[in-house]
Amino acid sequence: DVNKYLSCANKRQSMESCREYVNSFQGYGDRALIGVFLRKGGLHIGNLTLFPPVDWDNKVGTIGISIGRKEYWKKGYAREALTAFITYCFETLKLHQLCAGIDGSNINSLRLFRNCRFRIKKPTHLRTLINETAENEFYASLCKNDYDQNPLASPLPDGEVNCLKEV
């Protein structure tokens, strides 16, 4: 269930393939892999991704989020982490638009991005998922202008996650 909606869902993962994936983000200015850690105890529960390549000319980035520990699903951690990441992308990286592709059957992710004020557009194409099942992929986007008019509530200083820590 954890990997079901990830781009690596159809590939068998190992510690070595995970290391290679993490290392593929090292030393580049057009991508980021940021861990989501609990403040209390420092447990790594997921990742935020700024996928390569970032379009720096137009200031557009494609993002993703995964909470990899099911026991932390539906507890607000994803929203807190995504909200902080959106703020980081707009305020620190100075991006002007964030985009995400979301599988049509991933209702929780669609809800998360909608609640973070992304505009969800109807599916434009099918994407192959597990067991060769074709699934609609929705396109989500958030422009800095929309964000500036009504910034997302910032995570509280004593929030549960510390998400701006590189993996």
Side-chain angles (χ1 to χ4, degrees):
D1 282 349
V2 171
N3 289 339
K4 183 177 180 180
Y5 300 111
L6 300 180
S7 58
C8 64
N10 293 318
K11 300 173 190 164
R12 181 138 171 86
Q13 301 300 312
S14 66
M15 284 303 291
E16 183 57 30
S17 66
C18 289
R19 271 191 210 95
E20 287 175 12
Y21 180 74
V22 169
N23 288 338
S24 75
F25 286 83
Q26 302 295 322
Y28 295 95
D30 69 342
R31 62 193 80 184
L33 179 65
I34 298 173
V36 178
F37 296 84
L38 295 180
R39 285 190 195 280
K40 188 174 182 181
L43 181 66
H44 180 215
I45 64 169
N47 294 309
L48 295 152
T49 308
L50 179 61
F51 292 102
V54 172
D55 179 351
W56 290 111
D57 292 336
N58 295 301
K59 300 188 183 319
V60 177
T62 301
I63 64 171
I65 182 169
S66 174
I67 301 297
R69 295 179 181 262
K70 287 178 72 170
E71 63 270 28
Y72 294 98
W73 290 1
K74 298 183 181 180
K75 296 185 185 292
Y77 297 114
R79 175 141 187 194
E80 183 178 352
L82 184 57
T83 298
F85 194 47
I86 291 166
T87 301
Y88 173 75
C89 288
F90 285 146
E91 302 298 330
T92 303
L93 299 180
K94 305 297 184 196
L95 295 176
H96 286 205
Q97 182 178 11
L98 297 176
C99 306
I102 305 169
D103 294 314
S105 61
N106 191 346
I107 304 303
N108 291 329
S109 192
L110 285 166
R111 186 177 298 124
L112 170 66
F113 279 86
R114 186 177 297 119
N115 287 340
C116 287
R117 293 196 345 274
F118 278 71
R119 294 176 191 218
I120 310 293
K121 296 183 181 173
K122 293 183 180 180
T124 56
H125 63 280
L126 296 176
R127 178 173 175 249
T128 302
L129 290 180
I130 299 172
N131 300 324
E132 304 300 316
T133 302
E135 188 68 49
N136 287 321
E137 185 174 73
F138 287 80
Y139 177 79
S141 68
L142 177 63
C143 294
K144 181 144 183 354
N145 290 345
D146 292 336
Y147 169 86
D148 286 341
Q149 289 175 10
N150 187 14
L152 300 167
S154 298
L156 298 173
D158 60 347
E160 293 293 316
V161 297
N162 176 11
C163 66
L164 298 181
K165 181 175 177 182
E166 288 193 35
V167 174

